[in-house]
């Protein structure tokens, strides 16, 4: 392996020349080495999983940009020189983020509100709220409604009364357009 210093002909060059020499650039240095052959060690389970995730994200992004409505959403979310494909790929590889589950207005009565703040590359597809009693029995489950004025805020209206509020567990599951899910639990104290 050799380092190239102050050579205007190969400085910054990357790739293979003559099937023998390999040039690569790392930290502003051009490194010259012999061309590597294929790996002789089998891939690890983590490497196989990463390959599968990459393949799945690629298929999703290719399909997403074929739908004009979804493509427009991803194009709007694209940053800098990114394309709608890049934004769709990023969305497929990252789950949504739940920033906050506000149960301050939940007093155990029907009609109380639970507010969820969630974000992703584009607006998540759904937010499902499940409420469990202190004993672990499911009291209710339903979809939160996206607030029209704020595309990151979801509102869930409680439908079943809950007299024993302390210890109640509220589980929020947010799903994005590619199908990635994120779950967050909040215990009422």
């Amino acid at each position: 392996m050799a380092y190239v210093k102050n050579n205007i002909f190969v400085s910054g060059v990357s790739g293979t020349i003559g099937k023998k020499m390999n040039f690569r650039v790392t930290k502003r240095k051009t490194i010259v080495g012999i061309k590597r052959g294929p790996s002789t060690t089998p891939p690890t389970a983590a490497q196989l999983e990463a390959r599968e995730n990459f393949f799945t994200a690629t298929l999703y992004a290719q399909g997403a940009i074929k739908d004009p409505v979804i493509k427009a959403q991803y194009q709007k979310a694209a940053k800098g020189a990114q394309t709608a494909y890049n934004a769709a790929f990023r969305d497929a590889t990252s789950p949504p983020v739940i920033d906050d589950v506000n149960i301050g207005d939940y007093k155990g009565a029907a009609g109380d509100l639970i507010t969820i703040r969630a974000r992703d590359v584009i607006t998540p597809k759904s937010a499902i709220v499940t409420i469990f009693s202190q004993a672990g029995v499911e009291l209710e489950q339903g979809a939160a409604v996206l607030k029209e004025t704020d595309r990151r805020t979801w509102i869930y209206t409680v439908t079943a009364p809950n007299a024993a509020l302390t210890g109640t567990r509220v589980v929020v599951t947010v799903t994005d357009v590619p199908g990635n899910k994120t779950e967050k639990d909040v215990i009422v104290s």
Side-chain angles (χ1 to χ4, degrees), residues 105-114 128-132 138-145 155-163 165 168 170:
D105 293 334
Y106 180 47
K107 306 298 182 203
D112 289 348
L113 299 178
I114 296 174
I128 304 295
V129 176
T130 309
I131 300 175
F132 294 94
E138 183 179 314
L139 299 175
E140 67 178 287
Q141 181 180 35
V145 178
I155 307 292
Y156 179 73
T157 305
V158 176
T159 58
N162 181 10
L165 194 59
T168 300
V170 177

Side-chain angles (χ1 to χ4, degrees), residues 23-92:
F23 290 82
R24 69 180 197 265
V25 178
T26 58
K27 296 183 182 176
R28 293 188 225 157
K29 289 183 179 179
T30 303
I31 301 171
V32 182
I34 61 170
K35 184 174 189 288
R36 239 187 99 197
S39 177
T40 57
T41 59
T44 65
Q47 288 171 328
L48 290 173
E49 183 180 352
R51 288 179 190 174
E52 181 62 30
N53 291 343
F54 188 89
F55 181 71
T56 302
T58 300
L59 290 177
Y60 172 76
Q62 288 171 349
I65 62 171
K66 289 180 182 175
D67 182 338
V69 174
I70 294 176
K71 181 179 180 179
Q73 290 176 346
Y74 281 122
Q75 191 60 55
K76 187 176 177 183
K79 297 176 182 174
Q82 283 188 335
T83 64
Y85 177 89
N86 300 132
F89 185 90
R90 183 169 37 107
D91 195 17

Side-chain angles (χ1 to χ4, degrees), residues 60 74 91-96 120 124-126 173-182:
Y60 172 76
Y74 281 122
D91 195 17
T93 58
S94 60
D120 200 19
K125 184 170 66 173
S126 67
T173 306
V174 175
T175 306
D176 65 4
V177 177
N180 300 316
K181 294 183 180 189
T182 299

Side-chain angles (χ1 to χ4, degrees), residues 131-158:
I131 300 175
F132 294 94
S133 70
Q134 184 178 17
V137 177
E138 183 179 314
L139 299 175
E140 67 178 287
Q141 181 180 35
V145 178
L146 184 62
K147 194 172 180 181
E148 288 296 322
T149 57
D150 181 1
R151 308 288 296 169
R152 292 180 55 187
T153 303
W154 299 76
I155 307 292
Y156 179 73
T157 305
V158 176

